[in-house]
Amino acid sequence: MTVSASAATELEALARRLAHPPHTAPDDSPNAAARPDPCAGASTVLADRADGVVVRHGDLVVKAHAPGTDTAALGIRLRVAANRRLTGILLPPRPPLAQERSLVTDLHGRPVSAWPYGTPVDPERPDAAPWEEAATLLARLHRVPADRIEGLPGPLPPMRGPAKAARAVARMRAACLARGPETHAVPDPERDARETPPRPGREQARPAPDPGAGPLHEVVRAVLRAWHALPPWARDESPGTAPAATARLCHGDLHLGQLVRHPAPDGPWLLIDVDDLGTGDPAWDLARPAAWFAAGLLAPEVWARFLGAYRAAGGPAVPAAGDPWPQLDVPARALTVQTAALAVARAAAEHRDLDEVERLMTDSCYRIAAQSPRSVPESRK
């Protein structure tokens, strides 16, 4: 049995135990031991990844967070989700044990949180995706005064969006190193610039590689050039240099998989997964749909509905009217690099070519690398 399979099996047992706490009075009847679990066989593994294992048992969902998770910071994030100011915005956690007030327990050193089950977005119905609802929830989240959330055991941690982007780039490097001689020479744009400084006009005259062509290491080079074109705060290198004037309460990892209807199956949409929640630039929460739109993965009318709903709800990340790209540019480029880096990492690990959708994101990195840092295609404004 693999470590991952073992974690999932133990989490299923924990989920069953948490879903059926011991009765206050012991059952001494002769048939008590033989009485079946009313939810026997109902546990379902919803996710089993390195960054988290999620199991559902009945109306309870338990999550074993990634090894090395900062338990104190996670505890603060869970308290935020449970706070009355976030009612109707974030799905509130359930105490893992009914007799305890703690919102987190432990499984072999991995923190575990418990949540009520909610109905997720149906991936088979893309036309029914709740883009407007997601945008409205983000606007409401960003408007919550982060300094007025009472009952927290410590200060709010920073939003972890830039840290996730940095981890994606590190994962791409590691995957390429592990693949073998074909990609082991991972390009380093900063080293290249030091060792072979361009002569005046040379860089402008040098043609960019053909997007979608060439060996994988050329794609890696484009991703890294796009990465190094970002400001340090967006690469999680100098968090203190982020635009402080825009610091707000942020989700940190918005995508459609982070929404559920609760109560299931037809309750209102709520945001889930607070692992990356914290204070930061709220434009980061709009960056993934913005990046998809810029890459051609999100239809213009869907992007317009999303952005319009966010503005209508008073979202502070972008102006109420006019061009949103001065605020969205850096976060959208960062999410483009993050998505492309993960795509390259998966392709390298699986010894395959990039698929069509993955190429759209890596092609965006070629364009980003060839543009000035703040330029945005006129057609995408």
Side-chain angles (χ1 to χ4, degrees):
M1 179 180 291
T2 65
V3 173
S4 179
S6 175
T9 300
E10 294 192 45
L11 194 62
E12 287 185 57
L14 178 61
R16 188 182 303 278
R17 190 165 70 249
L18 296 180
H20 305 288
H23 297 292
T24 54
D27 187 348
D28 296 325
S29 63
N31 297 324
R35 185 170 295 125
D37 182 342
C39 291
S43 295
T44 304
V45 178
L46 302 179
D48 189 355
R49 303 184 304 268
D51 62 345
V53 182
V54 183
V55 170
R56 175 191 177 188
H57 185 82
D59 64 354
L60 179 74
V61 174
V62 293
K63 177 176 181 177
H65 299 262
T69 294
D70 184 334
T71 303
L74 176 62
I76 294 172
R77 292 180 168 109
L78 294 174
R79 289 289 176 191
V80 171
N83 191 276
R84 61 180 179 83
R85 288 184 179 270
L86 281 302
T87 299
I89 302 174
L90 296 175
L91 182 72
R94 285 172 50 174
L97 301 175
Q99 67 270 28
E100 296 182 5
R101 297 182 62 191
S102 174
L103 293 174
V104 64
T105 187
D106 180 270
L107 181 66
H108 299 306
R110 298 177 66 165
V112 175
S113 57
W115 307 83
Y117 175 75
T119 304
V121 175
D122 186 350
E124 301 300 322
R125 300 180 61 204
D127 292 342
W131 286 108
E132 290 97 326
E133 292 86 346
T136 301
L137 288 170
L138 286 179
R140 293 176 59 197
L141 177 70
H142 296 163
R143 292 170 55 194
V144 173
D147 58 350
R148 297 183 186 177
I149 302 176
E150 65 279 358
L152 301 182
L156 272 169
M159 176 267 294
R160 297 202 310 168
K164 287 182 75 81
R167 287 200 301 274
V169 172
R171 178 177 166 184
M172 177 185 70
R173 289 178 178 271
C176 291
L177 288 170
R179 178 164 171 168
E182 180 182 348
T183 57
H184 79 275
V186 178
D188 185 338
E190 291 186 341
R191 180 196 62 206
D192 293 349
R194 291 194 304 268
E195 295 179 355
T196 56
R199 294 192 297 273
R202 181 179 178 86
E203 188 65 27
Q204 291 80 355
R206 179 181 178 182
D210 177 22
L216 192 59
H217 74 269
E218 287 294 340
V219 178
V220 173
R221 185 181 297 276
V223 174
L224 290 177
R225 286 191 180 280
W227 175 246
H228 288 288
L230 294 169
W233 72 265
R235 304 196 306 264
D236 198 39
E237 293 178 3
S238 300
T241 63
T246 63
R248 298 271 184 163
L249 183 61
C250 303
H251 182 274
D253 188 29
L254 187 278
H255 53 79
L256 291 179
Q258 307 287 38
L259 290 101
V260 298
R261 285 188 179 276
H262 179 75
D266 300 316
W269 290 105
L270 297 173
L271 293 169
I272 64 170
D273 191 354
V274 296
D275 288 54
D276 302 306
L277 181 140
T279 55
D281 182 356
W284 202 280
D285 284 344
L286 280 61
R288 183 174 271 108
W292 287 1
F293 164 63
L297 286 172
L298 191 66
E301 59 271 18
V302 176
W303 166 248
R305 295 199 329 256
F306 175 84
L307 183 62
Y310 182 82
R311 284 172 156 167
V318 295
D323 183 7
W325 284 101
Q327 288 74 35
L328 294 177
D329 178 44
V330 168
R333 287 191 286 124
L335 262 293
T336 299
V337 173
Q338 175 181 322
T339 306
L342 291 175
V344 172
R346 286 190 294 267
E350 297 166 8
H351 295 271
R352 61 169 176 81
D353 293 332
L354 297 168
D355 64 29
E356 182 179 358
V357 172
E358 292 168 338
R359 286 191 182 281
L360 285 173
M361 298 310 298
T362 57
D363 288 356
S364 290
C365 288
Y366 279 101
R367 292 192 293 271
I368 291 171
Q371 293 171 353
S372 61
R374 294 187 180 277
S375 65
V376 176
E378 190 67 30
S379 62
R380 296 302 183 191
K381 290 185 179 181

